[in-house]
Amino acid sequence: MSQTEKRAGLLRRTSSSKKPLKEKVVLMYEDIFAEEPTKSNPRFWDELFLMKVNLEYLEGKLESLDGDEVLKVKDNINSLFQHCVQALAEEHQIKVVNALQTLCALFRGVHQKNKSATGFDIINMLMGFDKAELRMKELMESLDALLCGDGSESLKSLCLKLLLCLVTVTDNISQNTILEYVMINSIFEAILQILSDVSSRAQHGYDAVVLLALLVNYRKYESVNPYIVKLSIVDDEPTLDGMGRVIHHALAEYNRQYKEKEEENQGGFFSTLTSMVGSMFIADADEKLSVQTNEAILLALYEAVHLNRNFITVLAQSHPEIDIATTPAVPVPASPLTPLGTTPPSLDMMNNPELPLDPNLQTSNLLITFLKYSSIVMQDTKDEHRLNSARLCLIILTCIAEDQYADAFLHDDNMNFRVNLHRMPMRHRKKAADKSNPSRPLVCAVLDLMVEFIVTHMMKEFPMDLYVRCVQIIHKLICYQKKCRVRMHYTWRELWSALINLLKFLLSNETILLSKHNIFQLALQVVNLFNMFITYGDTFLPTPSSYDELYYEIIRMHQVFDNLYCMVLRVSTNAGPWKEPASKVTHALVNVRAIINHFNPKIESYAAVNHISQLSEDQVLEVVRTNYDTLTLKLQDGLDQFERYSEQPREAGFFKELVRSISLNVRKNVSLSTMSQDVLLKEFSSIS
């Protein structure tokens, strides 16, 4: 049957001479759009909900109505909506299924037709002003009862799909006036019940978490959103753990699929080409792996971390790590066009909360899985979509780095994990050998991720915002280490080297970057990181030799700091928009320059006395150790202070656009017309 015939509800011709027949349900829809349907058939509504819904025809018909036709059939549409809601209370499950699907067609069809109409006009067309409050109360109560009851899992799934359909019918969910009724008649408790129950979570956890994330973002800056208030005070451990598991498994599934793709490329065509012509095709191979991220689940993680302090404990809860290489993946029913990471994780991964422990099995937790996910997402920020996803990852890490409890477990020496982050293929560095990292406190993995980002994104389209966030996260972690005198055995030289190379990049590209960005803000943050190490390093660096190595790196790379000083001095002594920010960097460099100016003559003198043309590292370190006493440094205030993260107003625009993007994607994926309609009807036909 052609698409046109299907949309019109036409049945196949029995012979070439006869006209195609229309489905009975289409004839009944035509009655609704023509006259009062019960005039000719008193049992019209009973019969309608026994018929298989033709979603395409119904939505298409609603979209095709012009202004006058809408007025003529408004009462009938109101009546259809009313009878749909009433049918949700029927014992006959077929009627409930058809009512849910008809409601979805109504919401979508009416909104598509009236994109420019006000929310009040849409409410009036769907259910009538005078009855809207009652109808939506009845609808939400019925959905709540279906979600919390002992009924069919398929029906619960359909209820969630309907709610996702309702929430995403407008591009901007805050302009969806019908959601006011979803705020008043809350289904928050029903969502929590799904997340706290092992069986329900396995079936519906993904949709429930995405739905909650979207509802939390409804007019969040304009009015009191009850879903925000309720989410912020949830303290029930099974519920929070359930939410964490859903997010964990969704991210883990993405990581698993990404690794599979990576291994396919390494073992196939790209591997052959690369071995033949060097690393020329690495960028192309990597581009193939730049798959669409799961921003909906990332938004859910952000809201949980940002709003609920109790959720922080969930980040660190250990679970056995599923072996990506050996665990067979149950295929997720999705269309071939569905982007990687936008579908729920396999049920077998979510079903059992307690997997059998193998003594050789590496344990994992939500934070580790998130860090691995971030290491994939943050590799490629060339388009706006991936840039935003990386930005959200860094915002989540910012919230984590500010939380005292999170900092405590990040730095806990008794909680060591092996975290193998993904690294971007780069021509100037060798591919990392496939060996596991040592088990270390999780803060080491966070710092590794920040260093990896700093090293790999110094490019023409410079992601300034992401760099600022990266350096801020490092600063917040070091502030905690200084405050609590935590001595981390970390390869600090890699961080110092990355930061100095960043300053070098800013200097080399001053003209290009200044036309777009305030590079002095980032330069100031980097210099102040060095000031933190210089001023307080003796309280958190692991050994005295680490402090010596810091001075060695500053002295070794003194030319970068000298050039930076010359540049900021030049800008700060001339009138212009950057005079003040450049002046701040000039003042911040006082101790770095004092170290360089103090030790360089001593090193030159040592070399001259000992007739050495080029000193070894050990010899330079010896000069440093013997000349600390005569070094004078200036005490700088506020180095261990930082501005705490606040979503409003700075991030409000970002989240509005992000939620719009997620809403469009969810709407695309909620396809009730293909959502096992025949399977559902078959299931309930056999029950009946």
Side-chain angles (χ1 to χ4, degrees):
M1 190 186 296
S2 72
Q3 193 63 27
T4 308
E5 288 176 329
K6 187 180 175 186
R7 189 176 178 88
L10 303 178
L11 301 175
R12 295 187 191 278
R13 292 178 174 85
T14 53
S15 72
S16 58
S17 60
K18 293 184 179 179
K19 289 183 180 179
L21 301 172
K22 288 185 179 179
E23 294 176 58
K24 184 177 179 182
V25 72
V26 170
L27 294 171
M28 297 182 83
Y29 291 153
E30 288 179 349
D31 287 344
I32 294 172
F33 292 106
E35 57 183 21
E36 169 51 50
T38 54
K39 280 183 181 178
S40 56
N41 181 2
R43 292 183 51 79
F44 178 88
W45 298 113
D46 284 333
E47 292 176 9
L48 177 67
F49 294 110
L50 290 171
M51 301 284 146
K52 179 182 172 182
V53 180
N54 188 323
L55 287 162
E56 285 186 286
Y57 176 84
L58 186 53
E59 284 182 45
K61 184 67 178 175
L62 287 164
E63 288 175 39
S64 69
L65 296 175
D66 62 28
D68 291 336
E69 287 175 317
V70 168
L71 290 174
K72 283 181 185 175
V73 298
K74 185 188 86 68
D75 289 344
N76 287 1
I77 293 172
N78 292 171
S79 186
L80 175 58
F81 190 95
Q82 176 189 350
H83 284 91
C84 283
V85 173
Q86 288 174 353
L88 297 182
E90 290 271 1
E91 289 184 14
H92 201 307
Q93 301 286 275
I94 290 282
K95 289 187 175 182
V96 180
V97 170
N98 289 327
L100 287 168
Q101 297 201 1
T102 304
L103 281 167
C104 185
L106 279 171
F107 284 129
R108 287 202 298 217
V110 169
H111 276 90
Q112 284 300 313
K113 171 64 185 174
N114 299 275
K115 282 186 176 178
S116 59
T118 67
F120 300 108
D121 289 337
I122 287 171
I123 289 169
N124 194 35
M125 183 176 173
L126 273 172
M127 51 197 115
F129 274 136
D130 53 338
K131 301 289 185 184
E133 195 171 327
L134 175 63
R135 293 285 175 266
M136 285 303 297
K137 182 173 183 291
E138 291 170 344
L139 172 60
M140 297 308 294
E141 285 176 352
S142 294
L143 293 176
D144 187 81
L146 288 167
L147 288 171
C148 296
D150 297 325
S152 158
E153 297 301 328
S154 299
L155 268 186
K156 290 181 182 181
S157 179
L158 205 51
C159 289
L160 287 167
K161 298 292 184 193
L162 172 62
L163 285 163
L164 285 170
C165 170
L166 170 57
V167 171
T168 60
V169 283
T170 55
D171 292 352
N172 181 348
I173 67 169
S174 292
Q175 292 176 353
N176 186 352
T177 313
I178 296 177
L179 292 187
E180 285 297 329
Y181 300 110
V182 182
M183 297 294 117
I184 297 165
N185 304 287
S186 175
I187 50 155
F188 184 80
E189 285 71 22
I191 293 172
L192 293 197
Q193 185 172 316
I194 288 168
L195 295 176
S196 61
D197 179 76
V198 175
S199 176
S200 282
R201 182 169 71 237
Q203 301 265 359
H204 319 296
Y206 184 87
D207 283 346
V209 162
V210 172
L211 176 63
L212 180 58
L214 289 169
L215 288 171
V216 160
N217 280 276
Y218 174 73
R219 294 187 181 173
K220 69 192 306 189
Y221 308 119
E222 299 142 41
S223 59
V224 177
N225 180 322
Y227 290 85
I228 292 178
V229 176
K230 290 180 178 182
L231 179 58
S232 67
I233 58 175
V234 174
D235 58 2
D236 178 61
E237 194 175 325
T239 303
L240 292 172
D241 181 57
M243 187 175 186
R245 285 179 184 273
V246 172
I247 296 168
H248 182 190
H249 290 311
L251 297 179
E253 177 70 3
Y254 178 91
N255 295 350
R256 183 190 67 77
Q257 292 179 39
Y258 179 87
K259 187 167 182 181
E260 278 185 359
K261 267 183 166 284
E262 189 177 47
E263 287 170 352
E264 279 174 24
N265 280 3
Q266 286 170 358
F269 179 64
F270 282 107
S271 177
T272 308
L273 278 178
T274 304
S275 64
M276 287 168 61
V277 291
S279 57
M280 180 174 174
F281 287 92
I282 283 179
D284 296 331
D286 187 49
E287 198 65 34
K288 292 283 184 184
L289 296 172
S290 298
V291 285
Q292 186 173 332
T293 54
N294 192 336
E295 289 169 321
I297 214 75
L298 213 55
L299 178 66
L301 175 59
Y302 164 75
E303 297 296 356
V305 167
H306 180 230
L307 294 174
N308 192 305
R309 287 213 63 213
N310 299 311
F311 189 80
I312 292 292
T313 61
V314 175
L315 293 173
Q317 286 175 6
S318 296
H319 313 297
E321 184 172 54
I322 295 169
D323 189 345
I324 292 173
T326 59
T327 304
V330 175
V332 179
S335 72
L337 297 175
T338 302
L340 184 64
T342 58
T343 50
S346 310
L347 293 184
D348 66 323
M349 293 179 69
M350 296 179 62
N351 226 349
N352 192 352
E354 297 299 333
L355 294 166
L357 279 171
D358 182 325
N360 299 315
L361 198 62
Q362 161 76 1
T363 55
S364 183
N365 56 39
L366 175 53
L367 182 56
I368 291 172
T369 303
F370 169 65
L371 289 173
K372 288 181 179 179
Y373 178 88
S374 299
S375 71
I376 297 169
V377 167
M378 288 163 60
Q379 286 184 29
D380 182 5
T381 57
K382 286 174 187 168
D383 67 43
E384 192 176 358
H385 179 81
R386 296 186 186 111
L387 189 72
N388 288 339
S389 202
R391 185 178 180 182
L392 184 52
C393 286
L394 289 172
I395 289 174
I396 293 168
L397 282 171
T398 300
C399 294
I400 292 170
E402 284 184 8
D403 187 273
Q404 288 278 25
Y405 179 81
D407 281 329
F409 74 69
L410 282 174
H411 293 84
D412 191 342
D413 256 335
N414 298 313
M415 291 177 65
N416 291 335
F417 294 91
R418 190 174 292 115
V419 185
N420 294 313
L421 300 174
H422 293 263
R423 301 181 81 211
M424 184 189 290
M426 296 182 76
R427 293 187 180 92
H428 66 269
R429 70 177 179 186
K430 291 179 181 177
K431 182 170 172 58
D434 289 333
K435 61 180 182 180
S436 295
N437 290 323
S439 287
R440 302 174 296 169
L442 283 173
V443 68
C444 296
V446 178
L447 290 170
D448 283 349
L449 182 63
M450 299 301 100
V451 169
E452 175 68 9
F453 180 84
I454 290 170
V455 168
T456 56
H457 288 76
M458 292 181 236
M459 54 194 181
K460 189 178 175 184
E461 292 300 319
F462 188 69
M464 174 64 79
D465 175 71
L466 302 191
Y467 268 94
V468 168
R469 292 176 193 277
C470 252
V471 177
Q472 285 174 342
I473 290 165
I474 296 167
H475 179 239
K476 286 169 183 178
L477 292 172
I478 291 173
C479 285
Y480 174 83
Q481 292 169 20
K482 178 257 174 185
K483 177 184 174 184
C484 299
R485 294 181 173 267
V486 179
R487 296 189 183 275
M488 291 307 307
H489 288 273
Y490 181 70
T491 50
W492 292 110
R493 287 180 85 157
E494 288 185 9
L495 172 62
W496 299 330
S497 175
L499 292 172
I500 292 170
N501 282 328
L502 174 57
L503 290 177
K504 192 175 178 181
F505 175 82
L506 295 179
L507 287 166
S508 302
N509 297 275
E510 175 196 347
T511 308
I512 297 168
L513 293 175
L514 265 180
S515 64
K516 300 177 184 177
H517 309 290
N518 175 6
I519 62 171
F520 301 104
Q521 176 196 8
L522 181 57
L524 179 64
Q525 287 180 325
V526 172
V527 171
N528 277 337
L529 268 185
F530 279 101
N531 285 329
M532 276 286 288
F533 282 104
I534 292 165
T535 310
Y536 303 115
D538 59 328
T539 66
F540 61 83
L541 287 173
T543 60
S545 63
S546 302
Y547 196 71
D548 301 338
E549 287 167 5
L550 167 68
Y551 278 58
Y552 174 80
E553 284 300 315
I554 292 172
I555 295 162
R556 185 175 72 87
M557 301 299 289
H558 71 89
Q559 196 64 55
V560 175
F561 292 105
D562 292 343
N563 292 345
L564 176 64
Y565 181 74
C566 291
M567 188 265 275
V568 293
L569 190 64
R570 166 173 50 82
V571 175
S572 63
T573 52
N574 293 318
W578 307 118
K579 182 181 174 70
E580 188 180 340
S583 178
K584 289 180 181 177
V585 183
T586 309
H587 296 307
L589 281 165
V590 62
N591 281 342
V592 173
R593 295 189 70 244
I595 290 168
I596 293 167
N597 293 335
H598 176 73
F599 285 106
N600 266 354
K602 301 282 194 295
I603 291 166
E604 288 167 10
S605 173
Y606 181 91
V609 168
N610 292 282
H611 306 290
I612 304 170
S613 59
Q614 192 168 355
L615 271 63
S616 68
E617 181 177 333
D618 287 339
Q619 289 168 327
V620 173
L621 287 170
E622 182 57 35
V623 175
V624 168
R625 290 188 191 103
T626 55
N627 287 280
Y628 274 133
D629 293 346
T630 52
L631 173 65
T632 303
L633 296 176
K634 184 179 178 183
L635 186 63
Q636 293 174 307
D637 295 327
L639 291 175
D640 58 346
Q641 305 296 314
F642 58 81
E643 184 183 351
R644 292 190 67 82
Y645 170 78
S646 175
E647 183 181 317
Q648 173 77 342
R650 189 173 296 171
E651 311 292 351
F654 167 71
F655 278 102
K656 281 179 181 175
E657 286 307 309
L658 181 74
V659 172
R660 179 191 292 269
S661 170
I662 291 169
S663 180
L664 289 168
N665 200 38
V666 170
R667 186 199 308 169
K668 207 184 300 177
N669 288 327
V670 177
S671 177
L672 281 174
S673 57
T674 56
M675 198 206 74
S676 56
Q677 191 175 10
D678 291 325
V679 176
L680 278 167
L681 294 175
K682 186 177 179 182
E683 176 187 337
F684 294 116
S685 297
S686 60
I687 292 172
S688 304

